[in-house]
Amino acid sequence: MSFLNEIMPETAEAFGQMRNSIFKDGFLNLKTKELIAIASSVLMRCQFCVDTHSQRAITAGATKEEIAEAISVAMFVAAGSQIGWTNIYEENIYNKIFEKNKEEKDCCCCCKD
């Protein structure tokens, strides 16, 4: 974050203080927090973050197996979210799309025949 340090030093300092206030033993220990950070980083698709938090998790005592399990939890959430997002207004969108006697709805775009 060197660019932020140069341009917005107060913001960079505040970010560092936030990190320091979170990544220490508290109700959750540091290893657990780093495992959560790994899973979150996977979901955010931040390769740098995955690497950084994996190294920190190892330093905090995490094993390869624990890191792999944290990543698998993130994978599960990501996969499940692709199914769950289709449920809108208590009705699965795929049920609505594939209704046999579906009425045509007015559309303002190019999807009409």
Side-chain angles (χ1 to χ4, degrees), residues 53-89:
H53 290 291
S54 293
Q55 294 304 316
R56 290 178 180 173
I58 290 167
T59 300
T63 64
K64 290 179 187 178
E65 294 80 9
E66 289 171 318
I67 292 170
E69 197 165 317
I71 291 170
S72 71
V73 170
M75 289 169 38
F76 173 77
V77 170
S81 71
Q82 297 308 302
I83 296 167
W85 76 270
T86 60
N87 291 320
I88 53 173
Y89 308 114

Side-chain angles (χ1 to χ4, degrees), residues 24-62:
K24 61 183 179 182
D25 286 338
F27 294 108
L28 298 174
N29 64 31
L30 180 58
K31 180 177 89 170
T32 302
K33 290 178 181 184
E34 290 296 353
L35 291 169
I36 292 168
I38 292 167
S40 300
S41 298
V42 167
L43 293 175
M44 295 303 296
R45 300 177 136 186
C46 178
Q47 187 175 3
F48 175 80
C49 300
V50 171
D51 182 47
T52 298
H53 290 291
S54 293
Q55 294 304 316
R56 290 178 180 173
I58 290 167
T59 300

